[in-house]
Structures are given as structure tokens and as C-alpha cells.
Amino acid sequence: MGRAIRVSLTVAGVVAFGILSGGMLAQGGGQGAAAQGANAPDAAWRTATPTNDAPNPYNTIEGWAKLPAGREWGSTSAVDIDKDGKSVWVGERCGTRPNPQGGAPVSTNSCWDAAAGKMSEFDPVLKFDSSGKLVKSFGAGMMVFPHGIHVDRDGNIWMTDGNDNKPRPRPGQPAGTPLPAAPEKIVGHQVFKFSPDGKLLLTLGKAGGNPPGADAEDPASFYQPNDVITYPNGDILVGEGHGGANSRLILFDKTGKFIKQFGKKGTGLEGEFDQPHSLAFDSRGRLWVADRANNRVQVLDPKTFKTLETHYQFSRNSGIFIKDDIVYAADSESGSVNPMHGAWKRGIRIGSAKDGKVTAFIPDPSGEGVTFAMVDGKPVLKKADGSNGPGGTLAAEGVAVDKDGIIYGAEVGPHKLQRYVKK
């Protein structure tokens, strides 16, 4: 697979170029993407060759981060590196809680205990030093669903909260059953900026967020914000939309004043996203968007948000991190949450932001021995014993890399913060 094939597509007199190299497909944006139209469906991921065979040069270190006695890991998708280059910040969804029926503690994916009608007392924002010792925590009661994290150039910590504590029908209740009482304090769907000591410096959006699809009436508030990143001049960009009708990028100035929004839900190559789940900048200042449900990465002009490149070889990305123009892309859903992408193995793909080539792959161990086949047009995944392949979100969703090249993966389903060190 060392060959390189250039494929061209002419549309209305405009040429779009794609490159297939080492099993990877990268389509240039620019005129080619614009010529196909903002609403032209992008199905190139269906024919892209899976990049499953790159070597794994890393050892996995289990149990590196130590939580205090009485607390266990819950779901986490948020991880970033401190300004010191070594310490690790994590947004974690408040561990486990006692099982009301007795027995083992209940795993949690939320800091809101709907059954008890209260927020967790645990701090969801955690800082670990390079030895894995917990050295700082804060944020208790402030967020329901810590989702994306960003450490800015000044060392401040930004967190997105992707859910709320508003009353909802309980599972199994008949239609028309009255909703539970509303909590005294509505929390959720906001973006927070903290100092390294945990002082709240800025809040974006209103508590409880927009009703789904109401961003046109209130563009400066959110519904399910996924990630946040800051520009060199301090401007703030939020990626929003976790499966509903909304998918957009929202830009604010450094004071939190709304500037503009861009994009909508769709599969087009220009101006459309489906779960813009993670954000990163490369050395040229280009914006990389992990467009998860579209099984691709979109590389955009940071000012106009025009599509410059579209990459499929990094698979179905939940998290993306770029350091020294090396791309670290975490796929936690191929073949489990998304069976149609089952030919792609879950894990962390590592490659170049310059030419797009994938050079290393840390596979999800739960995918070992799983086979993939299309049967009657549907994907079928089987374990070695013939049982169905694993379901749910697995492996890392969030990914970050310290100054020594040590990789950290934040896992939602397995409830882990993994550490990966070069062999």
C-alpha cells in the first residue's frame, strides 16, 4: 500500500483532487467542495480504505491516575495537558453512586442524580501531576455532563457541559405522566472558563441552554456544546451538537461577546456537520473539526470556516489533538455505536497534519478478534466465539499528548483514563 494514486473529479468545470495513499483518502476542499454544493451528500467514507494496520509503538499503562478513597472513575471524554506540559486536566462525570437495590455501585454518566433529585458532591474538574497524583479539583454542582476541555495559552481551563438537569419522563412511564418537580437550580449547556486555581472567570450561554433547535432565537446560548478552543487573539470557538437537529460552530470574542455562528446539520462538504465533537489547530492555524457522525475530519479556514480539506483516514473521530503537526485521533464508536463503520477498528490513530498519512495505531483491546462482514447489505460483527461484537462507546473519546509524547485517552464506556508510553 505504499503507492499514491491521484484521483480527480470535474464538476461544472472545477476540479477537486483526492489522494489515496497507504489506504487513506484525503479530499481537498476549496473550489471542488464548493462546486458540489453545500447540500451535496458526502458518502466518501463508505469507500475509503480502513487504516487498521499501522504499527502500535505504545504500551498501555492502566490505573495511572489515582482518585481519592471512596471515589471511582465514571465516564470521561475530556482530557488536556496543563501549561506546564506534564500535568493532566480531566473532566469526569462524578464517579459512581450507591446502588439503591444494593450490590455493586451504579456507574454514572452524569453529575446529576435524577432519582435523588440532586447534583453530585464530587468535583468534576480534576488535575493530576505527572505521577498520577490528584493535586487539584473543583466545579462541584456546576455541570451535569462535562464533555470537552481546553487549556488555553495562559493556563486557564475551559469546560463544556453537554446536558442539563431539567425534569424528564422516567423510563417506562406511560404517556401523560406528570414530570418530576424541577430542581431549585437549573444547570447545564454552558461553557465555563476557570483559573488554574478553580476561580470562575467567564461563563458562556444561559443555564439550562436553548431548547433544541432554538439557536436562531438565541445564538449565544447552547444545546449540547461539545468542545471549546481559543484563538491566539483570545477569541473563543465552541462546537455544538451531539445528535439532535443542531450542528454548528459559534464564535465569541475574548470577553464572551457573540460574534457569529456557522454551519448546520448535514453531510455536505461545505458548511455542514453532524456532531462537531472535538476541535484543534495545526501549526498553520487551520481548524480541524472531528465531524464524528459524518465519519470524517474537516479542516477549515479559521476565519471564514471554508472547507480546505476533508480526511477520512482518521476514521470516526470523537476526539482530536494536534501537537507539532502530529494528529492524534480517537475513534470510540466504529462498529459499536455505528455498526456501518465496522470495517474500521476503534482506537487512536496517529498521523501527519501535513500529508494526512497515518503512521501508528493504538487499537481498542475490546476489538481484538472481532470479524466484520456485510450480510444482506448490513454489517455483521462477531467475536471469535461467534457472539455479537461489543456495543456502546469503547476506547478513548478524548485524547491529549504531553510534552514528552505521552498520550492520554479519556474513556466514556470503560470509565478509564489510559496512559500510553512509547515502547
Side-chain angles (χ1 to χ4, degrees):
M1 297 299 292
R3 61 199 177 102
I5 303 173
R6 174 155 294 190
V7 182
S8 64
L9 173 65
T10 305
V11 183
V14 181
V15 179
F17 294 104
I19 299 173
L20 182 62
S21 176
M24 301 173 292
L25 176 67
Q27 179 169 347
Q31 290 181 322
Q36 295 184 53
N39 296 316
D42 175 19
W45 64 267
R46 296 180 181 274
T47 55
T49 304
T51 52
N52 295 333
D53 300 325
N56 178 13
Y58 291 87
N59 286 320
T60 303
I61 310 299
E62 294 266 3
W64 166 80
K66 309 298 190 300
L67 289 172
R71 181 169 181 177
E72 297 182 14
W73 281 98
S75 297
T76 177
S77 63
V79 59
D80 204 355
I81 306 301
D82 186 73
K83 186 181 177 182
D84 67 14
K86 294 288 292 181
S87 301
V88 180
W89 287 93
V90 179
E92 193 267 354
R93 296 171 194 162
C94 298
T96 57
R97 60 177 64 105
N99 190 330
Q101 279 77 46
V106 176
S107 298
T108 177
N109 195 27
S110 174
C111 293
W112 168 246
D113 185 344
K118 65 179 183 179
M119 296 289 292
S120 171
E121 296 178 356
F122 287 137
D123 288 330
V125 186
L126 312 172
K127 181 185 180 182
F128 298 90
D129 68 14
S130 59
S131 72
K133 178 183 177 182
L134 181 65
V135 295
K136 178 70 66 175
S137 68
F138 51 81
M142 295 184 65
M143 57 193 82
V144 170
F145 192 73
H147 193 276
I149 191 169
H150 166 61
V151 179
D152 68 21
R153 294 158 186 82
D154 297 320
N156 300 306
I157 294 83
W158 298 74
M159 286 290 314
T160 69
D161 182 7
N163 211 328
D164 61 69
N165 63 344
K166 294 178 180 178
R168 289 171 172 77
R170 293 194 174 119
Q173 286 184 325
T177 301
L179 292 175
E184 292 183 6
K185 180 181 178 182
I186 295 294
V187 177
H189 303 298
Q190 293 181 295
V191 177
F192 302 101
K193 176 186 179 181
F194 297 99
S195 74
D197 291 327
K199 179 181 179 182
L200 182 62
L201 302 176
L202 182 68
T203 302
L204 301 179
K206 64 187 177 186
N210 283 330
D215 53 276
E217 291 78 25
D218 186 7
S221 285
F222 314 107
Y223 183 70
Q224 298 180 329
N226 290 319
D227 201 10
V228 58
I229 198 167
T230 54
Y231 284 68
N233 70 350
D235 284 355
I236 308 154
L237 186 68
V238 178
E240 179 205 65
H242 201 268
N246 58 324
S247 278
R248 60 181 178 135
L249 304 176
I250 313 101
L251 186 65
F252 301 82
D253 72 12
K254 63 182 180 181
T255 69
K257 180 182 178 181
F258 173 81
I259 297 175
K260 66 178 179 179
Q261 61 178 322
F262 174 82
K264 62 179 181 179
K265 186 168 183 175
T267 62
L269 283 170
E270 193 80 43
E272 295 188 358
F273 311 99
D274 193 349
Q275 296 183 30
H277 205 264
S278 184
L279 308 170
F281 288 116
D282 64 19
S283 67
R284 287 181 274 176
R286 301 182 307 169
L287 175 66
W288 290 59
V289 180
D291 191 7
R292 182 166 78 174
N294 280 329
N295 301 305
R296 67 190 184 189
V297 176
Q298 293 281 60
V299 184
L300 309 180
D301 181 284
K303 294 182 180 179
T304 66
F305 301 128
K306 183 175 182 59
T307 302
L308 304 175
E309 296 175 2
T310 299
H311 294 281
Y312 307 94
Q313 70 273 20
F314 294 109
S315 194
R316 181 182 175 87
N317 280 179
S318 291
I320 193 163
F321 190 93
I322 300 176
K323 178 177 174 59
D324 300 327
D325 275 340
I326 299 174
V327 179
Y328 301 82
D331 177 356
S332 61
E333 295 191 348
S334 289
S336 53
V337 174
N338 182 10
M340 288 303 297
H341 214 242
W344 297 74
K345 293 182 179 179
R346 293 179 301 275
I348 300 173
R349 286 172 174 81
I350 304 167
S352 171
K354 295 180 179 179
D355 62 19
K357 185 176 182 180
V358 174
T359 56
F361 176 48
I362 305 172
D364 169 22
S366 68
E368 291 180 6
V370 175
T371 60
F372 168 88
M374 295 297 292
V375 179
D376 297 328
K378 297 181 180 180
V380 176
L381 280 80
K382 295 290 184 182
K383 297 180 182 178
D385 62 4
S387 61
N388 292 332
T393 175
L394 299 159
E397 282 205 9
V399 61
V401 184
D402 75 7
K403 67 180 182 180
D404 295 326
I406 298 172
I407 303 171
Y408 296 89
E411 300 187 349
V412 170
H415 293 186
K416 294 179 180 180
L417 177 67
Q418 299 281 48
R419 193 178 201 233
Y420 303 98
V421 179
K422 278 283 185 73
K423 294 177 180 177

